[in-house]
Amino acid sequence: MSHPEEPVGRQVLAGAQMLFVAFGALVLMPLITGMDPNVALFTAGLGTLLFQLVTKRQVPVFLASSFAFIAPIIAAKGEFGLPAVMGGVVAAGLVYMVLGFAVRLKGPGFIDRLLPPVVIAPVIISIGLALSPVAVNMAMGKAGDGSAQLITYHTAMFISMPALITTLLVAVLGKGLFRLVPILAGVAVGYGLSFAFGVVDTSGIAAAPWLAMPNFITPEFNIGAILFMVPVALAPAIEHIGGVVAIGSVTGNNYVRKPGLHRTLLGDGVATSAAGLFGGPPNTTYAEVTGAVMLTRNYNPKIMTWAAIFAIALAFIGKFGAGLLSIPVPVMGGILCLLFGSIAVVGLSTLIRHQVDLSEARNLIIVSVTLVFGIGGMAIGYGEFTLSGISLCAIIALLLNLVLPGGEGWRNKQLNEEV
């Protein structure tokens, strides 16, 4: 499908609109993990531009912070430090690239055989449910790990629950583009209530300069941190494929064929590795933006170029980042009660949509062991070498699928139809 040339002014406005839709989730992820939201804005914009370069600007998607990596980032950050986490993010991007090259050599069916729904779904469920204590603690005014009470319980609940309810109502009852920004609506209500209760610290905003360089971080490469991050990349890689198929169904183009799934995976990998080099979170395609593309019927990839430019520009506004950092914990906690649950539901939906038969012993074993290892925080290691939580469960699911007999017949019908 060709893209008729629109006036530049209209493209600019459409790009700003797309960034607005993606903005809530984009900045929430770094705020949860203790990363700099300005860096996340910069790497989202940079990642989108790199993706467009690799895919020859044919796919109208916007790349930004991936929630799938929250748990391993938090765990690895506490053990190895943020620079080592960034090294892990760089390595995670390489996973996408390797998968892209494998698809180029063997075709998309390779992904079907290596990572069928029975492998990916329980990993996604584990990601969401393993994070649920973080959401609940934050909603109650505690630190994510529950180690400290940051805001009194009753005040926190009067902030977090209205923020959650607002997010729910906008997602269900909102009309048009407003329905695509429930996170922003929830943050706005929660932030307003936080002001009313006097729990917003504005000193950082006052002290921050208007223009400032984002706090870029140079990555360090630590094998332990890399092992935390790399296995988790398998789940968002599959989500990437779903995102490419979804945007193709919206625009009427077959992006699995042109520019090719190998190029889109490579582009996502390059974007994620680039994010790690600057200290930003891993990137992924955003379903919210796909929804906005469908709603506006604006399929021109150039609007994503403008969205990326706006994101990069905002990254250098110091007071903007300081304002984001001033958002109190209960505001984020209330919204995360929905978001983390939604991640788990995506996994459940994957099992249902692909009609995975859990009465079969093979499928039951893979799903059961993966869920318990992932949610329970199982750790396996010797000495300084340890795998745990989501990283471990992703590897276990992959190995069980390869070792247990009976999985040869699976084929992803939707992907086959695209090819």
Side-chain angles (χ1 to χ4, degrees), residues 208-223:
W210 278 103
L211 296 177
M213 286 288 291
N215 295 316
F216 295 126
I217 295 174
T218 302
E220 297 175 359
F221 295 94
N222 179 294
I223 187 63

Side-chain angles (χ1 to χ4, degrees), residues 268-285:
D268 207 338
V270 170
T272 293
S273 291
L277 291 174
F278 285 94
N283 283 314
T284 189
T285 54

Side-chain angles (χ1 to χ4, degrees), residues 24 32 59 67 74 76 97 130 222 227 234 274 287 307 309 327 334 350 365-366 380 383 391 398-399:
I32 298 164
V59 189
F67 276 72
I74 292 174
M97 298 182 205
N222 179 294
L227 289 174
L234 298 176
I309 292 171
I327 298 174
T350 300
I365 289 170
I366 294 173
I380 295 178
S391 303
L398 180 64
L399 291 177

Side-chain angles (χ1 to χ4, degrees), residues 204-343:
I205 302 174
W210 278 103
L211 296 177
M213 286 288 291
N215 295 316
F216 295 126
I217 295 174
T218 302
E220 297 175 359
F221 295 94
N222 179 294
I223 187 63
I226 289 172
L227 289 174
F228 262 95
M229 305 298 294
V230 165
V232 182
L234 298 176
I238 298 301
E239 289 182 351
H240 166 94
I241 296 171
V244 170
V245 172
I247 190 65
S249 67
V250 169
T251 65
N253 290 330
N254 189 335
Y255 298 121
V256 172
R257 287 184 178 176
K258 183 181 179 182
L261 187 59
H262 63 287
R263 280 189 176 273
T264 64
L265 279 167
L266 176 61
D268 207 338
V270 170
T272 293
S273 291
L277 291 174
F278 285 94
N283 283 314
T284 189
T285 54
Y286 267 25
E288 297 96 323
V289 174
T290 298
V293 169
M294 180 171 62
L295 190 66
T296 61
R297 303 184 67 82
N298 193 333
Y299 308 147
N300 191 341
K302 288 183 180 179
I303 65 174
M304 301 305 171
T305 304
W306 285 107
I309 292 171
F310 278 121
I312 292 172
L314 284 175
F316 290 90
I317 301 178
K319 287 190 181 296
F320 186 75
L324 294 173
L325 290 172
S326 72
I327 298 174
V329 162
V331 178
M332 295 183 285
I335 296 168
L336 292 177
C337 288
L338 171 63
L339 290 185
F340 290 163
S342 298
I343 294 173

